Amino acid sequence: MTFPLTRARRLRNSLPLRQMVQETSLSAANFVYPMFVVHGRDVKAEITSMPEVYHFSIDRLAAEIDDLSALNIPAVMLFGIPAQKDPIGEENFASDGIVQQAVREFKRVNPDILVMTDVCLCEYTNHGHCGIIHEGEILNDETLDILGKVATSHADAGADVVAPSGMMDGMVKAIREALDGDGFRNVSILSYAVKYASGFYGPFRDAAQSTPSFGDRRTHQMDPANAREALKEARLDVEEGADMLMVKPALPYLDVIYRVRQAFDLPLAAYNVSGEYSMVKAAAANGWIDEQKVVLEALTGIRRAGADIILTYHAKSAARWLKNNS
Ligand code: PBG
């Protein structure tokens, strides 16, 4: 069967035909919207390197929550900026911590939005590292106790899903045991199982004020050159009890998303991170690309690679475009 019997263009001839043979779907139902919450009153402050992404104080969340439900965005991932930072990040597991307050506000305003929380130390520690530091080294096992406390504290505030992002060995097991020990058997774990030591987190670290004060994250986050190792990381987290897996960043790692999708049957998320977002926003602001086309194409690509769930700062605008285009 070759030309002229076969003509690939036939199936592209009209919109209904193109829609009928479309292989990958993209919908707001796939999105998780990452948000940054801060102390104070009446704060909605745009993050310079991330246009249209804001720091919100608790009293400004309700309007945003209504926006998200109007756009049918099913879930958020919350990041908190504490009032004070210290060596272990005390506010991270305080019942009146900023994330705990935000979780309660979400549940008060709209209990149907799924609330996920990032579980890591780096936004809360004065050294900006993802674990406890001793003589310049990040201590793995000592950090696990704190991660368990953070996860149960978020669960106690009402979080539906906790998402450990610190790439400590054994973090999923420690969190599962802590949650179960406190009666939070139905709180799920979305593990940032495959997280690379990436340059694409730059704008996030401005937003979360979490740049390490010395060194970098290469002793725990993965080497961008490795893909087989991604399967090992994913397998370990599956064995420790993860309910869902994540690959992060997304666009430079579509092959990794594909491989993890093939090898595991858990729901798979991909994090379209801050640097990926800021590059698109900067190019669009310069008129160099068509933002809508590029964003929907990139998000479709992430889905085509195999992600069920996409964490993206584009969630609101993409949901709006998808709604208007349908
Ligand atoms: C760590 C964390 C980071 C991101 C999410 N969770 C930053 C890091 O590892 O330095 C990055 C997200 C982004 O860039 O959008 N708590």
Side-chain angles (χ1 to χ4, degrees):
M1 281 280 271
T2 179
F3 178 83
L5 242 78
T6 295
R7 289 178 184 272
R9 288 184 59 189
R10 255 184 227 129
L11 291 177
R12 299 182 199 128
N13 211 21
S14 71
L15 181 62
L17 251 183
R18 288 194 294 271
Q19 282 173 338
M20 179 167 278
V21 300
Q22 195 162 71
E23 299 173 31
T24 306
S25 68
L26 180 68
S27 118
N30 308 125
F31 298 153
V32 177
Y33 188 51
M35 292 180 67
F36 301 95
V37 290
V38 296
H39 289 275
R41 291 192 63 76
D42 203 23
V43 183
K44 182 178 175 183
E46 193 172 45
I47 294 152
T48 314
S49 54
M50 302 178 71
E52 291 166 57
V53 176
Y54 302 88
H55 283 148
F56 285 99
S57 56
I58 304 297
D59 57 335
R60 293 291 295 267
L61 281 178
E64 190 68 7
I65 296 169
D66 290 344
D67 262 17
L68 296 174
S69 39
L71 290 167
N72 295 320
I73 293 173
V76 291
M77 177 68 77
L78 298 180
F79 296 93
I81 290 99
Q84 270 177 20
K85 304 196 185 216
D86 58 68
I88 66 165
E90 298 273 354
E91 193 183 315
N92 213 352
F93 48 89
S95 60
D96 60 348
I98 190 64
V99 159
Q100 289 81 350
Q101 290 184 42
V103 172
R104 285 194 289 265
E105 180 67 357
F106 264 87
K107 290 300 167 188
R108 185 185 71 79
V109 176
N110 185 344
D112 293 334
I113 294 188
L114 272 174
V115 178
M116 309 186 173
T117 58
D118 186 84
V119 174
C120 189
L121 270 56
C122 62
E123 291 111 62
Y124 293 85
T125 51
N126 51 7
H127 43 72
H129 279 290
C130 307
I132 303 176
I133 300 288
H134 182 67
E135 292 175 356
E137 192 193 326
I138 303 171
L139 300 180
N140 191 88
D141 302 14
E142 292 75 355
T143 299
L144 298 181
D145 293 339
I146 298 185
L147 293 176
K149 285 209 289 203
V150 174
T152 51
S153 165
H154 290 179
D156 193 47
D160 302 289
V161 178
V162 293
S165 65
M167 290 295 279
M168 294 295 118
D169 289 323
M171 66 184 185
V172 172
K173 181 167 186 270
I175 288 173
R176 187 71 269 159
E177 285 174 0
L179 288 172
D180 288 357
D182 275 4
F184 299 112
R185 290 180 193 83
N186 291 326
V187 171
S188 311
I189 300 177
L190 164 57
S191 179
Y192 289 68
V194 182
K195 177 170 175 181
Y196 288 91
S198 172
F200 288 90
Y201 308 145
F204 173 95
R205 290 183 189 170
D206 287 343
Q209 298 152 14
S210 63
T211 306
S213 58
F214 64 90
D216 55 39
R217 305 217 200 286
R218 284 182 297 177
T219 66
H220 49 106
Q221 298 180 348
M222 282 180 55
D223 182 340
N226 294 357
R228 261 184 288 132
E229 192 187 2
L231 300 181
K232 170 180 167 185
E233 280 285 3
R235 179 171 46 76
L236 291 169
D237 284 10
V238 172
E239 286 166 358
E240 287 179 29
D243 298 287
M244 299 180 273
L245 300 172
M246 191 195 302
V247 172
K248 174 183 175 190
L251 294 173
Y253 299 92
L254 293 177
D255 59 321
V256 176
I257 295 172
Y258 183 78
R259 289 211 212 187
V260 174
R261 167 75 299 154
Q262 300 304 305
F264 300 94
D265 51 14
L266 267 57
L268 180 61
Y271 200 141
N272 176 225
V273 300
S274 57
E276 300 174 60
Y277 176 82
S278 299
M279 291 194 305
V280 170
K281 295 300 276 186
N286 276 292
W288 294 338
I289 55 168
D290 175 334
E291 182 179 348
Q292 177 177 157
K293 266 193 106 172
V294 165
V295 168
L296 295 180
E297 182 178 335
L299 298 177
T300 301
I302 296 167
R303 290 269 300 147
R304 196 188 59 241
D308 304 296
I309 303 159
I310 306 175
L311 291 92
T312 180
Y313 304 97
H314 296 293
K316 286 178 69 183
S317 40
R320 215 171 286 124
W321 295 322
L322 290 168
K323 204 172 193 170
N324 295 338
N325 296 349
S326 68

